[in-house]
């Protein structure tokens, strides 16, 4: 199998894996958004990794919780946060940057693995062919030597 063909097959399979990963991530984001909601919260205190925030739940009760930084700022003291079905703060869903990164990583990893496997198969095939040719040549040489 020529090297160009191996590269083309790896590229096509890698692109297909990237498209499948993108579709899977997009479906996961839609499912996340269907079971979580976004609210505006007041930022009470910010630390290095987490921030203390307050918000009103669906019943109008004031709630408090911690969310991971960085915040999706609305203003200097307000930020958008995501809540699960129980009203607890959770991390935000993946954005376009994370999806693009996932597509690139999946495509690169799968394409690289396919290229490596096909290259290895090609190398083993060449080795096996050379070994068989040497064995045949050795047999022919022995026959010639015994006849002579």
């Amino acid at each position: 199998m020529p090297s160009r063909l191996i590269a083309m097959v790896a590229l096509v399979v890698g692109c297909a894996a990237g498209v499948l990963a993108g579709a899977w991530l997009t479906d996961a984001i839609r499912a996340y958004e269907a079971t979580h909601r976004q609210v505006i919260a007041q930022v009470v205190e910010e630390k290095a990794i987490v921030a203390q925030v307050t918000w009103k739940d669906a019943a109008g009760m004031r709630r408090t919780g911690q969310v991971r930084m960085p915040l999706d700022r609305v203003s200097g003291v307000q930020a958008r946060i995501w809540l699960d079905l129980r009203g607890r703060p959770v991390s935000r869903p993946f954005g376009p940057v994370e999806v693009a990164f996932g597509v690139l990583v999946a495509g690169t990893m799968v394409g690289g693995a396919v290229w490596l496997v096909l290259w290895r198969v090609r190398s083993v095939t060449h080795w096996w062919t050379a070994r068989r040719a040497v064995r045949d040549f050795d047999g022919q040489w022995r026959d010639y030597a015994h006849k002579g």
Side-chain angles (χ1 to χ4, degrees), residues 27-136:
D27 288 346
I29 291 169
R30 285 190 187 120
Y32 187 92
E33 290 174 347
T35 59
H36 295 73
R37 65 186 177 96
Q38 195 177 45
V39 297
I40 303 294
Q42 299 294 321
V43 179
V44 177
E45 180 184 2
E46 292 182 60
K47 296 180 182 174
I49 297 175
V50 296
Q52 189 75 20
V53 294
T54 62
W55 69 94
K56 288 187 179 178
D57 65 9
M61 301 262 313
R62 183 157 297 281
R63 302 286 180 186
T64 331
Q66 291 185 340
V67 292
R68 294 180 70 71
M69 298 287 273
L71 296 172
D72 182 13
R73 296 265 182 201
V74 175
S75 69
V77 294
Q78 290 184 329
R80 288 183 188 92
I81 64 168
W82 285 85
L83 304 174
D84 63 10
L85 292 174
R86 293 182 174 173
R88 296 177 301 198
V90 292
S91 60
R92 68 177 179 79
F94 288 149
V97 172
E98 289 92 352
V99 171
F101 183 72
V103 166
L104 288 173
V105 167
T108 302
M109 296 296 287
V110 170
V114 167
W115 178 84
L116 185 62
V117 166
L118 291 177
W119 179 80
R120 195 67 182 141
V121 166
R122 177 177 175 241
S123 297
V124 168
T125 303
H126 285 181
W127 171 78
W128 185 259
T129 303
R131 183 174 175 232
R132 190 177 60 208
V134 167
R135 186 184 65 225
D136 291 346

